[in-house]
Amino acid sequence: MDAMVPVKDDQEAANEYFEVYLSLRAALREGKIETTDVEEYLAYKERMLPKKAREIAQEMILNVKDYQ
């Protein structure tokens, strides 16, 4: 019998990536982690996203930067 693996939709995957992005930015501001660590981790996580989820996440990130 085939195992059923729940598949996240693009919006859900983008939301999770965005939450990680925001928490890492906060940790950077507080000096808890190094910039290179964040860049490498985010690049890894972004590569794991489906194309549409990556586009959604990038749009969300651009929008948050516009407000700051």
Side-chain angles (χ1 to χ4, degrees), residues 15-31:
N15 286 342
E16 287 181 10
Y17 177 82
F18 184 67
E19 289 174 17
V20 168
Y21 172 82
L22 289 179
S23 66
L24 289 175
R25 278 185 48 174
L28 271 173
R29 279 194 303 273
E30 296 168 6

Side-chain angles (χ1 to χ4, degrees), residues 40-66:
E40 291 172 4
Y41 183 72
L42 287 176
Y44 165 76
K45 292 295 280 183
E46 190 172 327
R47 282 192 303 272
M48 304 305 284
L49 291 173
K51 182 178 180 180
K52 183 64 178 172
R54 188 177 314 125
E55 292 170 358
I56 294 169
Q58 288 173 351
E59 186 65 32
M60 294 167 72
I61 290 168
L62 287 175
N63 286 334
V64 81
K65 286 183 180 179
D66 289 344

